[in-house]
Amino acid sequence: MPVNPPSLDTALLRGFRYGCLPGCGLCCFAEPRIDPSERPGLLRIAPAVDIVEAGGASYLRARPDGGACGLLEELRCSAHAVRPHPCREFPVHVHVGTRLQASLVLSCPGVDLGRLIKNTPDAERAPPVGFDSELASVERRSGPDVARRLKEAGRRRGRLVRALEREGRWVEEEEVRGLLRTHLPRPGPADYPVGDPPSADDGLEFLPIYFDGRAGPVGLGAGLGGWEALELRPSGGVERHLGVVPSPTSPPPLDPGAELFLRGYLRYFLERDLLFASVLPRMAEGGAGTVTEWVEEELREIGAIVVSRASVRAKLARGSTGPLTATDLVAGIRASDQDLMDVPTWGDRL
Ligand code: SF4
Ligand code: SF4
């Protein structure tokens, strides 16, 4: 019997605008997954391309020592016409769970984050701007195979929900959202200091990275008693050491504009199905607390990470010690690897 392709929920794209930033190339510091159908085109344009097989899937290998995908040349894709689907669809991310939910990778500097603080009915209804080709690629791949993945995800989720129900810890996602939309948790002193970024010994590939207009791709690593900013080379390795600032050990003050962005960011996270998909499996492994409590804690931790990175970037850029501004908070969001810069465009954990 033919299976209808599931429809894509694009509500979380409404009101956003996007235009890829020339000379950025940040999302190419990755190993994009390739589908079997994409392999012949890639091999035609780039016969020497390095394809790596892992866990039953194929990927384009990145250059060693934190470098970019082997097809990036002078911050341009040398195989643009046949680039694999994650590259066509970024910064759109699709979560396969109880539905196909599209959301945005907010750490991509091409996404205008103004929508995070505009919550008028007009903004919520406005169509997304600049995502046509990304969404067209997603739609092309929303076929019968995706219906099967959706069903599998439903079964996995069902098992988790039943286990949590037996322990009296289950709360429906919409109930949790309803509660927290109006009482968004705010990071407090107990959430600081956040886990430091990985040390240089862990490898540059593991550093959270962001795009800096002057330096290009910058990774944050633990070094010399604080957070060290390292300008990364697309060919691998470190181009320059940009400075070290101490890790924030308590919540830095935010001005009203920064507060607005923090709330908007956490509200966006709350609406992502991915948030619940990351919490439920960990809850099922043990511990105490309801879904609401776990989600509250997760949001506080995410908020602390974004604020810490905003503070580090503000100190690096201008030695600022005053309250963080809206611009600083946006820089913190851009530097947050909570925001899916390194995960497949289609996630199917639940
Ligand atoms: S990270 Fe965003 S702005 Fe930068 S190259 Fe990728 S899609 Fe473009
Ligand atoms: S295939 Fe092209 S667009 Fe995709 S990561 Fe590599 S260089 Fe970037």
Side-chain angles (χ1 to χ4, degrees), residues 92-262:
V92 173
H93 177 267
V94 178
H95 180 258
V96 185
T98 51
R99 56 183 162 179
L100 283 185
Q101 187 193 42
S103 66
L104 291 173
V105 179
L106 300 177
S107 42
C108 160
V111 176
D112 177 358
L113 297 185
R115 168 70 181 88
L116 290 182
I117 54 170
K118 281 185 213 135
N119 290 307
T120 60
D122 276 357
E124 279 160 20
R125 277 193 299 265
V129 174
F131 299 95
D132 293 354
S133 65
E134 289 73 15
L135 285 173
S137 173
V138 168
E139 290 287 358
R140 267 197 304 279
R141 289 167 16 85
S142 300
D145 176 54
V146 176
R148 182 187 53 74
R149 286 172 60 187
L150 205 51
K151 230 171 160 177
E152 280 169 13
R155 277 197 286 269
R156 282 202 297 276
R157 179 178 179 280
R159 283 194 291 273
L160 289 175
V161 170
R162 283 192 294 279
L164 293 174
E165 270 173 344
R166 280 195 296 275
E167 295 169 8
R169 303 166 68 200
W170 172 246
V171 185
E172 286 290 342
E173 284 99 330
E174 273 319 297
E175 198 179 320
V176 176
R177 285 182 172 129
L179 260 171
L180 298 185
R181 274 184 198 119
T182 46
H183 296 92
L184 268 173
R186 197 187 183 292
D191 302 304
Y192 289 81
V194 303
D196 276 337
S199 77
D201 296 343
D202 291 326
L204 299 177
E205 329 27 32
F206 294 101
L207 301 186
I209 60 173
Y210 60 86
F211 178 73
D212 180 301
R214 296 154 303 169
V218 175
L220 284 177
L224 305 175
W227 289 23
E228 184 171 23
L230 304 164
E231 182 182 337
L232 303 179
R233 284 196 205 109
S235 57
V238 174
E239 179 72 30
R240 270 191 302 160
H241 292 251
L242 300 170
V244 181
V245 298
S247 173
T249 52
S250 57
L254 310 186
D255 81 5
E259 287 281 0
L260 268 183
F261 268 102
L262 179 61

Side-chain angles (χ1 to χ4, degrees), residues 27-28 32 60 69 71-72 77 83-84 87:
C27 54
C28 298
L60 293 182
C69 159
L71 293 179
L72 189 72
C77 178
R83 66 199 186 287
C87 316

